[in-house]
């Protein structure tokens, strides 16, 4: 599988593992003991080798059985991880650990992977050479010796790890990369891939021109370098990264621009009043990019200074206004793109003369507006309730031109000239004052406005609540027919009525004179 080392049948069957020691010659367990011999105390076996060979082999019940489920867990380009399960039988005295051994394909010697027995059931063998094929076997070791080994039938192939190629284009290169003529183009594009992939660049589908562009390919990036960009360097650059049949591509659009050329010609079309009409033709060279517009300038013949009239005008014609009478003007137009304005600009061959016009002042009469209006009440009369003896007022507002005549009426009767009422009209506000009203003054009051264009009227109702009654002193005087009459006001109607009841007029005497009553 690409990107990983190949493992050829990493599993083995327990039956095969158990049969493997049976096929090997009898001295094989003695060899295993020799591998594990350095782990035993020196007091037990002072001399290696020969005593172990001459020692009779232990009984099968004293040795553990072979480990189970030997599996290759992981393979890289320099290491192999092997795991297994404990054996079914651990022997009478148990196990001291496991021994992992390996041998190269084609070799007959087994090399121990660990110097001493280990109790773990997984081991990683490192610093392996690429291209080797290794066989592995695992055996359980007891104090009596090593049991039968479980062997992998197929070798494990160590080969270089393959990482699929991938290009990581920077964000600013995912859109059109714009540079000006003469600037440096230096693009660094990182990529991934292991082992080192093959990197190629193309320009518009063709190989790069090595005289214009330089490429440096590293382990993890590729650099495209152009010392001085020209417009011919614009186009689509494609980066291709290939690795063992896998390929990754990235496209980069580069645009090299410069300032545009000037408009081809400019013409003064017409001059009238304070205005001048201009027209021009687009430039032949836009600078390898779109135009942003045109800049129009004017210059007075007296000063010769140029002033901008329009910026980024998108049309090829315009009208210049607000020119000064009596001056003569020249005009020029620049074309503009992202690099700026064109280096030169065409100037109108003719001058625009703003001449003074012989005008005659004609005074036109201003028509007078007719403000005549029929009377119209803008604020009508409101119904009102008052108290006897307290003066009250009625208000309304009217609008009319010419000024209307105001007439006040009570119950459809004209009350103009009655001293009990006072009518006022000022700035369209009409008021009627009723002095010390009595219940007899209650009724419907009408305000009528009349002018030459018409008339209008509004109504309201006035209620006078309460009536005249005698004071407590008057009732006491009437009951007792005595008291000091000077306590009452001599000018009130109660006083007059009491005087009449207390002192009726005497009958006339024979001589025609009234007799004064005694007090």
């Amino acid at each position: 599988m690409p990107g990983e080392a190949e493992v050829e049948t990493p599993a083995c069957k327990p039956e095969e593992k158990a049969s493997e020691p049976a096929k090997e010659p009898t001295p094989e367990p003695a060899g295993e003991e020799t591998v594990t011999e350095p782990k035993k105390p020196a007091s037990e076996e002072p001399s290696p080798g020969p005593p172990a060979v001459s020692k009779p082999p232990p009984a099968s019940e004293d040795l553990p059985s072979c480990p189970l489920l030997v599996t290759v867990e992981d393979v890289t380009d320099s290491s192999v991880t092997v795991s297994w399960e404990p054996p079914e039988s651990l022997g009478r005295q148990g196990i001291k650990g496991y021994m992992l051994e390996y041998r190269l394909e084609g070799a007959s010697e087994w090399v121990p992977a660990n110097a001493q027995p280990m109790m773990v059931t997984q081991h990683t063998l490192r610093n392996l050479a690429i291209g080797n094929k290794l066989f592995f076997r695992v055996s359980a070791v007891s104090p009596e010796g090593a049991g039968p080994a479980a062997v992998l039938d197929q070798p494990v192939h160590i080969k270089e790890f393959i990482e699929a190629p991938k290009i990581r284009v920077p964000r600013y290169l995912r859109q059109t990369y714009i540079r000006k003529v003469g600037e440096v183009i230096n693009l660094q594009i990182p990529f991934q891939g292991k082992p080192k992939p093959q990197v190629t660049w193309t320009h518009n589908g063709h190989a790069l021109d090595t005289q214009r562009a330089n490429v440096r390919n590293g382990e993890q990036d590729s650099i495209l370098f152009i010392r001085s960009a020209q417009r011919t360097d614009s186009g689509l650059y494609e980066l291709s990264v290939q690795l063992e049949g896998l390929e990754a591509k990235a496209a980069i659009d580069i645009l090299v621009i410069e300032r545009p050329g000037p408009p081809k010609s400019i013409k003064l079309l017409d001059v009238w009043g304070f205005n001048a009409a201009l027209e021009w033709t687009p430039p032949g060279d836009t600078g390898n990019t779109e135009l942003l517009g045109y800049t129009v300038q004017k210059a007075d013949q007296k000063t010769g200074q140029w002033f901008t009239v329009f910026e980024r005008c998108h049309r090829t014609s315009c009208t210049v206004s607000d020119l000064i009478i009596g001056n003569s003007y020249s005009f020029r137009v620049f074309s503009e793109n992202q690099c700026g304005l064109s280096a030169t600009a065409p100037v109108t061959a003719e001058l625009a003369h703003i001449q003074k016009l012989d005008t005659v002042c004609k005074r036109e009469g201003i028509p007078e507006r007719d403000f005549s209006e029929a009377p119209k009440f803008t604020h009508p009369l409101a119904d009102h309730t008052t108290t006897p003896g307290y003066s009250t007022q009625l208000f309304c507002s009217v609008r009319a031109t010419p000024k209307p005549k105001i007439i006040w009426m009570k119950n459809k009767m004209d009350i103009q000239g009655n001293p009990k009422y006072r009518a006022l009209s000022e700035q369209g506000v009409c008021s009627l004052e009723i002095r010390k009203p009595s219940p007899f003054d209650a009724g419907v009051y009408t305000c009528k406005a009349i002018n030459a264009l018409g008339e209008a009227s509004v109504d309201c109702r006035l209620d006078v609540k309460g009536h005249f009654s005698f004071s407590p002193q008057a009732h006491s005087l009437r009951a007792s027919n005595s008291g000091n009459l000077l306590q009452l006001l001599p000018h009130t109607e109660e006083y007059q009525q009491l005087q009449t009841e207390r002192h009726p007029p005497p009958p006339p005497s024979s001589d025609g004179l009234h007799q004064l009553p005694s007090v």
Side-chain angles (χ1 to χ4, degrees):
M1 182 175 60
E4 296 183 359
E6 182 179 354
V7 180
E8 300 178 0
T9 62
C12 67
K13 299 180 181 179
E15 292 80 3
E16 298 176 355
K17 299 175 188 175
S19 63
E20 182 68 22
K23 297 179 181 180
E24 295 183 1
T26 305
E28 183 64 27
E32 294 178 359
E33 291 180 1
T34 304
V35 174
T36 60
E37 187 177 356
K39 299 183 181 179
K40 296 182 180 181
S43 60
E44 295 180 2
E45 297 180 3
S47 59
V53 176
S54 62
K55 186 177 179 179
S60 60
E61 292 81 2
D62 297 336
L63 298 179
S65 61
C66 65
L68 305 176
L69 302 178
V70 180
T71 307
V72 177
E73 296 288 344
D74 186 27
V75 180
T76 66
D77 55 357
S78 63
S79 65
V80 176
T81 301
V82 182
S83 65
W84 58 89
E85 296 292 336
E88 294 181 355
S89 175
L90 302 180
R92 293 180 180 179
Q93 299 183 9
I95 63 173
K96 298 195 313 181
Y98 301 93
M99 289 297 297
L100 175 65
E101 297 176 303
Y102 69 92
R103 70 178 178 86
L104 297 175
E105 185 181 30
S108 60
E109 182 182 0
W110 288 92
V111 180
N114 50 316
Q116 297 180 357
M118 54 185 177
M119 294 300 298
V120 296
T121 60
Q122 181 174 326
H123 185 71
T124 300
L125 190 62
R126 304 182 186 278
N127 300 324
L128 301 177
I130 297 176
N132 289 340
K133 293 184 178 181
L134 304 176
F135 290 91
F136 291 91
R137 72 179 183 180
V138 182
S139 60
V141 181
S142 69
E144 297 296 333
V151 184
L152 287 177
D153 291 341
Q154 299 296 330
V156 179
H157 189 191
I158 308 300
K159 59 182 181 180
E160 190 172 7
F161 180 76
I162 298 177
E163 181 181 1
K166 183 178 180 181
I167 303 174
R168 305 182 65 179
V169 181
R171 185 179 298 273
Y172 70 96
L173 294 178
R174 296 176 187 176
Q175 55 188 359
T176 302
Y177 184 64
I178 300 177
R179 305 298 291 174
K180 297 181 181 179
V181 172
E183 292 183 345
V184 176
I185 296 178
N186 188 10
L187 305 181
Q188 183 178 5
I189 313 298
F191 60 82
Q192 297 175 350
K194 191 175 181 181
K196 182 179 179 180
Q198 182 181 0
V199 181
T200 57
W201 284 86
T202 59
H203 179 208
N204 293 331
H206 303 285
L208 287 180
D209 184 2
T210 56
Q211 296 182 355
R212 294 289 311 150
N214 297 324
V215 175
R216 184 188 67 81
N217 297 324
E219 293 291 337
Q220 297 180 350
D221 60 10
S222 179
I223 297 177
L224 176 65
F225 180 78
I226 300 177
R227 185 175 303 277
S228 179
Q230 300 297 326
R231 291 173 59 171
T232 55
D233 296 327
S234 302
L236 184 64
Y237 289 79
E238 189 175 61
L239 173 63
S240 175
V241 180
Q242 298 179 354
L243 177 62
E244 294 189 5
L246 302 176
E247 183 179 13
K249 292 184 178 182
I252 301 173
D253 190 11
I254 298 179
L255 180 63
V256 182
I257 62 176
E258 61 181 347
R259 293 198 296 178
K264 294 181 179 179
S265 62
I266 183 173
K267 182 179 180 181
L268 180 64
L269 296 180
D270 191 12
V271 178
W272 73 98
F274 308 98
N275 311 305
L278 304 175
E279 185 181 17
W280 59 90
T281 55
D285 182 13
T286 61
N288 203 26
T289 184
E290 295 181 357
L291 292 178
L292 299 180
Y294 301 93
T295 298
V296 182
Q297 295 182 348
K298 68 178 180 180
D300 187 359
Q301 190 178 14
K302 297 180 181 178
T303 61
Q305 297 181 356
W306 292 97
F307 298 93
T308 300
V309 180
F310 296 107
E311 289 182 343
R312 294 190 177 182
C313 178
H314 297 284
R315 298 179 300 173
T316 57
S317 63
C318 69
T319 300
V320 181
S321 303
D322 299 331
L323 301 177
I324 300 176
I325 295 178
N327 292 347
S328 299
Y329 292 91
S330 298
F331 301 94
R332 65 181 182 183
V333 179
F334 292 89
S335 53
E336 182 180 3
N337 64 5
Q338 295 183 22
C339 290
L341 300 177
S342 58
T344 59
V347 183
T348 54
E350 302 176 357
L351 296 177
H353 302 284
I354 309 302
Q355 300 178 355
K356 295 182 180 180
L357 300 178
D358 297 334
T359 57
V360 179
C361 180
K362 296 181 179 180
R363 296 182 178 180
E364 297 181 359
I366 300 175
E368 295 184 359
R369 181 178 178 182
D370 187 8
F371 292 95
S372 300
E373 183 181 4
K376 180 181 179 182
F377 282 91
T378 58
H379 186 78
L381 292 172
D383 293 344
H384 189 60
T385 302
T386 187
T387 304
Y390 293 91
S391 298
T392 185
Q393 290 182 332
L394 303 177
F395 293 95
C396 65
S397 61
V398 65
R399 183 178 65 195
T401 304
K403 184 177 180 180
K405 178 182 179 181
I406 305 300
I407 300 174
W408 286 92
M409 294 182 293
K410 175 189 175 185
N411 297 330
K412 306 300 181 180
M413 300 297 293
D414 192 355
I415 57 175
Q416 301 291 336
N418 191 333
K420 190 175 182 64
Y421 305 97
R422 185 174 70 167
L424 298 176
S425 178
E426 183 177 359
Q427 300 295 329
V429 178
C430 305
S431 63
L432 177 66
E433 181 182 2
I434 305 173
R435 299 173 179 174
K436 298 181 179 180
S438 65
F440 298 101
D441 294 321
V444 178
Y445 286 82
T446 303
C447 180
K448 180 183 291 187
I450 304 174
N451 69 358
L453 299 179
E455 63 180 33
S457 62
V458 290
D459 300 331
C460 75
R461 183 171 185 81
L462 177 66
D463 293 331
V464 182
K465 290 188 176 181
H467 58 278
F468 288 103
S469 63
F470 298 114
S471 62
Q473 294 103 350
H475 285 286
S476 62
L477 288 174
R478 179 182 299 176
S480 61
N481 198 16
S482 63
N484 189 2
L485 297 178
L486 297 177
Q487 295 178 357
L488 298 175
L489 295 176
H491 301 289
T492 61
E493 295 180 1
E494 292 94 334
Y495 176 78
Q496 299 293 337
Q497 186 174 1
L498 287 175
Q499 284 288 71
T500 304
E501 293 178 356
R502 188 181 180 93
H503 304 288
S509 61
S510 59
D511 55 0
L513 299 175
H514 292 280
Q515 295 181 359
L516 294 175
S518 61
V519 180

